[in-house]
Amino acid sequence: TYNQLWADAQLELSRLLTEELPAEPPRPEKDRVVFFQRLAMLYVRYIQIFRQLEKAYDQVVHPQKRRVIRTILDGVMGRVLELKNEMVEKEFSEYHYMDDVLHDLKLTPADLEIPIPRYFISDRSKELQERKTMLTDILKMVEVTESPEPLMAKDMSQEEAIKIIQVAERARQGRLRAKLNEESRNMNRMYRTKDPGTAGIELAAICIQKVWRGYIQRKRAKIARDEEMIFLGMAMDPKYQVPCTAEINIQASEACTRIKQEEHNEDYLKSVVAVTNQLRDVEGHDISKTMKDQIRQWFIECRDATGSFPDYPDEEDGGSALIFAEKDPQQLMEEIAAKEEDESNNKPKGKEEKKEKGKGKGKDDEEEEEAGLKMLPSAFLSDLEVGNKTFVDFWKTRNESRNFNQRHEVELIKEEKRKVIEAEIRVQVDEQMRQELAEWKLAVDKDKGGKTTGNAKKKKGSKSGKKKKKEKDLTSDRTLESLCQELVEQGLLKQANNVRLQDYLGDYSYLGTTLRQNDIEPMPSLTDVRQVLSLYAVLPLGSQVVHEKAPLIKAILMAGPTGVGKKMLVHAICQETGANLFDLSPLNTAGKYPGKSGLAMMLHMVFKVARLLQPSVIWIEDAEKMFYKKVPKEEKELDPKRLKKDLPKSLKLIKGEDRVLIVGTTKDPLSADIKSLCKMYSKIILIPRPDYGSRYILWKQLIEKQGGKVTKALDLSSLAKISDGYTPGHMVQVIRSIVTKRRILQQANRPLSAAEFVAPLAKIDPVFQEEEEALKV
């Protein structure tokens, strides 16, 4: 069951946490290779846990369990991204090859695939549907308002008109002549038939027998060969190629499970509201009274112990929650006094102190460098610890024999909401008790004639530094719908094509580790590209928690030759995360919003809508044009460099809570100023030509997708070999020209062969290795 799957994932996670958080800090590792192996091992194991938790979250029905799993799942995703970031820093490469780790853990390359959580889309299905409807309506309005171009009659000379009529008439006559010739041949054949005689009949019978027996024998041999291949496990049994009844039932069951999830979640949310109101009405007064009594008791104890009433803890420090910590009044007073001293001492220091501090820092850095390599501090391990503790305390040994339908548990809601209500009441009680303490102090200090102690808030008020300038809202008087409509009309907000990341086909790079061991940098495979984009783009955009805490990536540049699938990957990122697609390509923005004020307005509108409708992807096609060293004459009118100064400024305003990603694509990065390009994009991903394994998969899948049948007559291995240097775009172009509707109908009599694809492939110029090596540099 999925509960067992969750338990297994938690068991493995607890083992990893004990390894990552030992009682004593581990000694730094001096050997870079050994340290990377440790990182790679953790990375692969976390991916396996990620896969199990994602599956469990998708199918578990219990609403409270799902919330716990979601928290842990976000933590695991974040930790995977942190480990990836560390591996990149240690190996100085975006791509890693872990064949030895996979071998040690007895895993296949498919187990390294980054799963895309289905909740990115399913949990926001209503919101995404509404947004899609809004965009569709706006596009329809734009199409209606656009005036259709009037049909213009083409001017034609008399000679041209006569030629067209002649061609049509000659074609008609040719068809008629061919039909008459066929009829006459049929008539002649009928008259020629004579009595064949006995010898002729026997020869005819022998000929028919020979053809028939040959056909039957070939058919039997083919059946025997296929059976042998199936027996050896080299081919799949046809009955397994069609979805079986069990698979269909599982799909139906999954659909029912999702409906149950929604029902149980609605019931849970209603119950939360009802329980919260009940607790507030029934227990609220008693909680408030108990708190006041405890605080008054604390006042008296502090007075008896120190001779004066204490200062009330500040709201920012937790208010009266500090009082209920397991500490003596004396300890609490000492803590507050120490805090005040730290604040008063927090002033700019003299030159001598700074010098000493600088020297000290230098020594520390040297010691750290000598010590070796250490793991970077994690923002997610504490969350994973809390999630694991919650599982152990509440769910690991919980008896659910009476909760067969997996409905929510009211007692757990009460425990959770009681803390929330206590926090709400504590704020009100703190205000009242602060006033009461001030009155007590006044009453006591009046007799002594002393001054009342100042409040901590005044000290902290002076500490608040300069306020940051807020970005000026140029469209404060406009609604979101009107901004979206304008962006759609201008072609800046578009609907993403319906493609998935798994549609980006490719094979695993099996020689990566071997080449690295021989000091040869391998060319990444298409599978490596897919995994890197899943980590850098899809996971942070899909989860708010991951985006806020994981290493922040604001802009990604995909560099590769024409036809490798850069545009497809941009649309796939949008589809996997439910993100909006904004197009700020130089060619798309040319002539729109002219002038400096127009440019500022365009960027403001795009980034404002992108934040309000996050997650969002801002796509810049031909990103090199923005940073041209020298603008070509034919492109000077388009002014491709108009965004060069303003876009990086807008990029700086993107914060951790803004799920906005800028994705640039380029086929000629060398024509741009590399320094400016690298400054803009924090991650540059090379998308190469497909290798032999990827080409084999691409030919097979693309031919079948177009409607062709892959038989033994089609030598895919040879086709993959001779198409070295050709991109997936070239392959699609060739397949569409060969596998036409007419050719699909002829397949039964004349199967597809590799020779048919060679001629159109030869007409296309391939991407040569020198071009790819230039991109690699």
Side-chain angles (χ1 to χ4, degrees):
T1 63
Y2 292 103
N3 286 322
Q4 186 59 45
L5 185 69
W6 180 28
D8 293 342
Q10 287 295 149
L11 181 64
E12 179 63 17
L13 180 61
S14 62
R15 286 175 189 156
L16 277 175
L17 288 173
T18 50
E19 284 180 32
E20 288 216 74
L21 300 166
E24 293 180 8
R27 292 181 65 186
E29 182 60 58
K30 291 183 179 179
D31 190 344
R32 187 177 286 273
V33 175
V34 173
F35 186 75
F36 180 79
Q37 284 296 105
R38 189 191 300 165
L39 285 175
M41 184 68 79
L42 287 171
Y43 174 77
V44 174
R45 287 171 70 186
Y46 268 113
I47 286 176
Q48 304 318 306
I49 295 169
F50 177 16
R51 185 173 277 105
Q52 287 176 308
L53 287 173
E54 195 278 323
K55 198 178 286 183
Y57 180 76
D58 188 56
Q59 290 300 309
V60 166
V61 175
H62 199 296
Q64 287 153 307
K65 284 182 185 175
R66 293 188 86 232
R67 277 157 177 76
V68 177
I69 296 170
R70 172 71 179 271
T71 308
I72 299 165
L73 180 58
D74 284 341
V76 169
M77 279 196 284
R79 188 64 188 136
V80 166
L81 290 176
E82 285 179 338
L83 289 167
K84 173 68 178 176
N85 187 51
E86 280 201 63
M87 288 195 293
V88 170
E89 286 182 8
K90 298 299 178 287
E91 211 175 33
F92 308 112
S93 172
E94 299 294 345
Y95 300 104
H96 314 290
Y97 304 98
M98 295 171 270
D99 305 350
D100 44 355
V101 176
L102 289 175
H103 186 265
D104 292 344
L105 295 173
K106 294 182 174 58
L107 299 172
T108 63
D111 294 319
L112 266 183
E113 195 71 41
I114 306 296
I116 308 296
R118 281 161 279 195
Y119 78 81
F120 286 176
I121 300 296
S122 60
D123 285 12
R124 297 172 53 236
S125 54
K126 287 180 182 176
E127 180 194 335
L128 291 173
Q129 191 59 44
E130 286 170 10
R131 195 180 297 170
K132 192 176 178 182
T133 308
M134 181 181 76
L135 278 174
T136 309
D137 293 344
I138 293 169
L139 284 166
K140 282 179 183 175
M141 284 169 61
V142 171
E143 284 172 11
V144 169
T145 50
E146 283 178 0
S147 55
E149 292 182 7
L151 292 169
M152 298 290 288
K154 189 182 174 184
D155 291 334
M156 192 184 295
S157 65
Q158 190 175 358
E159 288 178 3
E160 286 175 339
I162 290 167
K163 277 182 181 178
I164 289 168
I165 293 165
Q166 281 179 342
V167 167
E169 178 58 25
R170 283 168 183 166
R172 187 191 68 80
Q173 287 178 9
R175 286 193 294 273
L176 193 63
R177 200 176 294 113
K179 192 178 178 183
L180 288 169
N181 287 340
E182 191 179 356
E183 285 176 3
S184 66
R185 278 197 300 273
N186 291 338
M187 291 293 290
N188 290 336
R189 209 176 283 126
M190 284 172 63
Y191 290 123
R192 280 181 200 160
T193 52
K194 297 176 182 177
D195 185 23
T198 317
I201 291 169
E202 282 181 9
L203 285 169
I206 290 166
C207 186
I208 292 166
Q209 282 177 353
K210 187 168 74 174
V211 171
W212 173 249
R213 285 174 180 172
Y215 167 74
I216 285 292
Q217 196 57 42
R218 282 192 296 274
K219 195 173 181 181
R220 283 175 187 159
K222 186 180 180 299
I223 291 166
R225 196 184 300 114
D226 290 345
E227 284 176 356
E228 186 180 1
M229 294 298 277
I230 290 165
F231 177 73
L232 293 171
M234 299 292 286
M236 188 181 281
D237 197 329
K239 69 181 179 185
Y240 297 125
Q241 290 174 359
V242 182
C244 62
T245 315
E247 286 177 333
I248 294 163
N249 291 340
I250 286 168
Q251 288 171 2
S253 173
E254 285 180 358
C256 291
T257 301
R258 288 192 181 91
I259 294 165
K260 273 187 187 177
Q261 283 174 356
E262 288 177 16
E263 289 174 2
H264 289 200
N265 193 49
E266 285 173 14
D267 292 347
Y268 169 73
L269 293 173
K270 286 175 186 175
S271 182
V272 165
V273 174
V275 168
T276 306
N277 292 334
Q278 185 188 356
L279 285 172
R280 196 178 280 117
D281 295 341
V282 175
E283 298 180 17
H285 179 69
D286 294 339
I287 292 168
S288 176
K289 191 180 176 185
T290 309
M291 278 185 188
K292 286 178 181 176
D293 291 343
Q294 286 175 338
I295 293 166
R296 286 191 190 105
Q297 183 66 29
W298 179 70
F299 291 163
I300 294 160
E301 284 177 12
C302 282
R303 168 82 177 175
D304 294 343
T306 60
S308 63
F309 285 116
D311 287 335
Y312 205 90
D314 207 39
E315 272 183 37
E316 292 171 7
D317 298 329
S320 58
L322 279 177
I323 299 165
F324 302 125
E326 294 176 6
K327 291 173 185 172
D328 300 328
Q330 188 70 34
Q331 288 175 328
L332 206 62
M333 286 297 294
E334 284 171 9
E335 268 190 24
I336 292 166
K339 212 173 227 182
E340 286 175 2
E341 277 179 31
D342 288 343
E343 284 172 9
S344 61
N345 292 335
N346 195 10
K347 291 176 182 177
K349 298 182 181 179
K351 289 181 181 178
E352 290 176 11
E353 287 179 353
K354 281 185 180 178
K355 281 180 184 177
E356 285 173 17
K357 200 173 182 184
K359 286 176 185 176
K361 271 189 179 179
K363 285 177 185 176
D364 289 345
D365 289 344
E366 282 174 19
E367 282 173 15
E368 278 180 18
E369 283 174 16
E370 288 171 8
L373 298 165
K374 288 182 180 179
M375 298 275 277
L376 296 172
S378 171
F380 292 95
L381 283 176
S382 55
D383 296 346
L384 289 173
E385 267 194 303
V386 172
N388 195 48
K389 192 175 183 302
T390 307
F391 170 74
V392 172
D393 293 348
F394 289 100
W395 300 106
K396 190 176 182 181
T397 55
R398 198 172 192 85
N399 183 14
E400 292 189 281
S401 56
R402 294 185 181 180
N403 189 10
F404 181 74
N405 291 324
Q406 292 289 287
R407 295 275 177 181
H408 61 268
E409 299 192 26
V410 178
E411 287 305 315
L412 285 175
I413 297 174
K414 282 183 179 177
E415 285 175 29
E416 187 185 334
K417 290 298 162 187
R418 198 172 276 119
K419 292 173 187 174
V420 176
I421 289 165
E422 278 181 13
E424 287 174 9
I425 292 169
R426 192 185 303 286
V427 175
Q428 298 167 5
V429 168
D430 282 356
E431 287 177 14
Q432 294 169 10
M433 296 312 291
R434 234 179 236 113
Q435 189 66 32
E436 193 173 310
L437 179 61
E439 288 170 8
W440 282 22
K441 282 184 179 180
L442 271 173
V444 172
D445 292 339
K446 262 184 188 178
D447 301 335
K448 294 179 181 180
K451 294 179 181 178
T452 54
T453 54
N455 206 346
K457 273 188 181 177
K458 289 177 184 175
K459 287 183 182 178
K460 289 200 174 178
S462 61
K463 198 182 170 185
S464 62
K466 292 179 184 177
K467 288 184 179 178
K468 287 185 181 177
K469 281 187 179 180
K470 284 188 178 179
E471 189 188 355
K472 191 179 178 183
D473 192 353
L474 302 173
T475 54
S476 55
D477 57 334
R478 293 183 61 180
T479 61
L480 178 62
E481 285 76 14
S482 69
L483 291 172
C484 285
Q485 186 170 344
E486 186 175 334
L487 289 173
V488 171
E489 285 170 1
Q490 294 294 334
L492 299 176
L493 176 57
K494 296 181 175 180
Q495 273 192 335
N497 297 338
N498 189 18
V499 288
R500 297 284 174 185
L501 213 56
Q502 64 188 14
D503 297 334
Y504 189 73
L505 304 166
D507 200 11
Y508 182 75
S509 181
Y510 296 97
L511 291 173
T513 305
T514 311
L515 290 170
R516 279 254 172 100
Q517 285 169 354
N518 293 314
D519 295 328
I520 301 168
E521 184 58 31
M523 194 58 81
S525 70
L526 301 188
T527 299
D528 297 329
V529 171
R530 192 171 62 226
Q531 287 179 9
V532 166
L533 281 173
S534 297
L535 290 166
Y536 288 162
V538 177
L539 297 188
L541 281 176
S543 171
Q544 185 70 40
V545 177
V546 173
H547 196 275
E548 286 177 10
K549 292 186 176 181
L552 184 60
I553 296 168
K554 296 181 182 181
I556 294 172
L557 179 68
M558 290 189 273
T562 309
V564 288
K566 300 184 291 293
K567 184 178 175 182
M568 177 190 175
L569 286 168
V570 173
H571 287 272
I573 290 166
C574 295
Q575 281 294 337
E576 294 290 1
T577 57
N580 301 289
L581 180 63
F582 296 86
D583 188 358
L584 284 183
S585 306
L587 288 174
N588 192 43
T589 55
K592 296 171 185 175
Y593 297 96
K596 281 190 177 179
S597 57
L599 183 62
M601 175 61 81
M602 178 179 76
L603 286 173
H604 169 75
M605 285 170 63
V606 167
F607 277 87
K608 182 180 177 180
V609 175
R611 284 192 186 95
L612 291 171
L613 296 178
Q614 57 180 283
S616 299
V617 170
I618 298 171
W619 175 37
I620 302 168
E621 192 178 12
D622 298 326
E624 77 280 356
K625 292 184 178 181
M626 202 185 295
F627 301 99
Y628 265 144
K629 292 173 188 172
K630 188 180 178 183
V631 181
K633 286 181 182 179
E634 61 271 13
E635 291 186 27
K636 275 187 179 177
E637 289 181 11
L638 302 174
D639 190 16
K641 293 174 77 173
R642 68 191 292 235
L643 288 169
K644 184 180 178 180
K645 289 181 181 176
D646 293 314
L647 189 63
K649 288 177 186 174
S650 301
L651 181 66
K652 285 178 184 175
L653 297 172
I654 296 174
K655 297 171 187 172
E657 59 267 20
D658 301 326
R659 284 188 289 160
V660 177
L661 180 70
I662 293 178
V663 181
T665 57
T666 175
K667 59 189 173 188
D668 185 21
L670 299 176
S671 63
D673 177 24
I674 297 295
K675 191 178 177 182
S676 305
L677 196 70
C678 294
K679 196 176 178 183
M680 166 89 177
Y681 297 97
S682 54
K683 295 287 180 185
I684 298 176
I685 297 165
L686 170 64
I687 303 180
R689 307 169 301 166
D691 55 10
Y692 171 80
S694 298
R695 290 196 301 275
Y696 188 93
I697 291 169
L698 280 164
W699 280 115
K700 187 174 185 297
Q701 298 287 343
L702 292 173
I703 287 169
E704 286 177 348
K705 191 178 178 181
Q706 190 68 15
K709 286 181 182 177
V710 177
T711 60
K712 287 179 183 177
L714 180 57
D715 189 356
L716 286 176
S717 182
S718 299
L719 198 56
K721 190 72 178 171
I722 63 167
S723 57
D724 185 14
Y726 291 95
T727 63
H730 294 149
M731 292 179 191
V732 170
Q733 189 181 331
V734 168
I735 288 165
R736 282 179 181 165
S737 67
I738 296 298
V739 187
T740 56
K741 286 182 181 178
R742 186 180 177 190
R743 187 68 187 85
I744 290 166
L745 295 171
Q746 292 173 348
Q747 283 183 111
N749 300 322
R750 189 163 62 90
L752 289 169
S753 66
E756 293 178 69
F757 296 92
V758 175
L761 200 64
K763 292 175 185 176
I764 302 168
D765 292 328
V767 177
F768 296 103
Q769 197 168 357
E770 291 78 16
E771 295 175 48
E772 197 172 60
E773 288 298 326
L775 286 173
K776 197 174 174 182
V777 172

